[in-house]
Amino acid sequence: MTPRFDAIGLVVSDMAAAVVFYRRLGFAFPEGVEEQPHAEAELPGGVRLLLDTEESVRSFHPGWQPPVGSGRAALALLCDTPGQVDAVYEEMVAAGYHGELKPWDAVWGQRYATLHDPDGNGVDLFAPLPSAS
């Protein structure tokens, strides 16, 4: 039997703040999870985004400590159009979230931008650029 990819898990310091951030990006977390130590949102295709509080992780791994320095992982969210990359980025920054990299046209043919969630995890927004004729 081969293991199959099922979920992405993030450890968060403030569940309510994390849920609000990811809901703004379209993740369907159930109502009431803001006060829970664990929350899940199902994504298209059946993969899930899992959020666990630091306290929850320490309940089964007492020596766990949050990482220091920049993260090495990011979520990447496909937008419908390059304009949507700009609009979502601006909406999130206007709502007070950290915009790490403003939207730009990447050499690999995508409109790209990077936000940080409340815990500093990277969230990349991207869309294919129209082909030059």
Side-chain angles (χ1 to χ4, degrees), residues 106-126:
V107 297
W108 55 85
Q110 294 175 330
R111 185 74 173 163
Y112 220 90
T114 301
L115 301 164
H116 281 175
D117 76 4
D119 290 288
N121 296 305
V123 177
D124 298 337
L125 306 170
F126 71 97

Side-chain angles (χ1 to χ4, degrees), residues 13-38:
S13 57
D14 181 333
M15 180 65 77
V19 168
V20 168
F21 176 86
Y22 285 105
R23 277 185 181 148
R24 285 187 80 98
L25 289 171
F27 290 78
F29 283 96
E31 291 300 320
V33 298
E34 298 84 355
E35 303 303 320
Q36 300 299 314
H38 176 82

Side-chain angles (χ1 to χ4, degrees), residues 25-131:
L25 289 171
F27 290 78
F29 283 96
E31 291 300 320
V33 298
E34 298 84 355
E35 303 303 320
Q36 300 299 314
H38 176 82
E40 298 185 13
E42 189 167 331
L43 309 175
V47 174
R48 298 169 297 143
L49 177 61
L50 313 176
L51 304 178
D52 288 285
T53 62
E54 293 174 358
E55 295 79 16
S56 177
V57 172
R58 286 191 191 102
S59 75
F60 60 84
H61 185 352
W64 182 86
Q65 293 295 319
V68 294
S70 298
R72 294 180 177 238
L75 300 180
L77 305 180
L78 174 63
C79 295
D80 292 332
T81 65
Q84 187 182 25
V85 171
D86 294 12
V88 171
Y89 179 89
E90 292 303 324
E91 174 189 330
M92 297 299 286
V93 169
Y97 297 107
H98 177 74
E100 180 66 10
L101 294 172
K102 291 181 179 180
W104 84 97
D105 292 344
V107 297
W108 55 85
Q110 294 175 330
R111 185 74 173 163
Y112 220 90
T114 301
L115 301 164
H116 281 175
D117 76 4
D119 290 288
N121 296 305
V123 177
D124 298 337
L125 306 170
F126 71 97
L129 290 169
S131 299

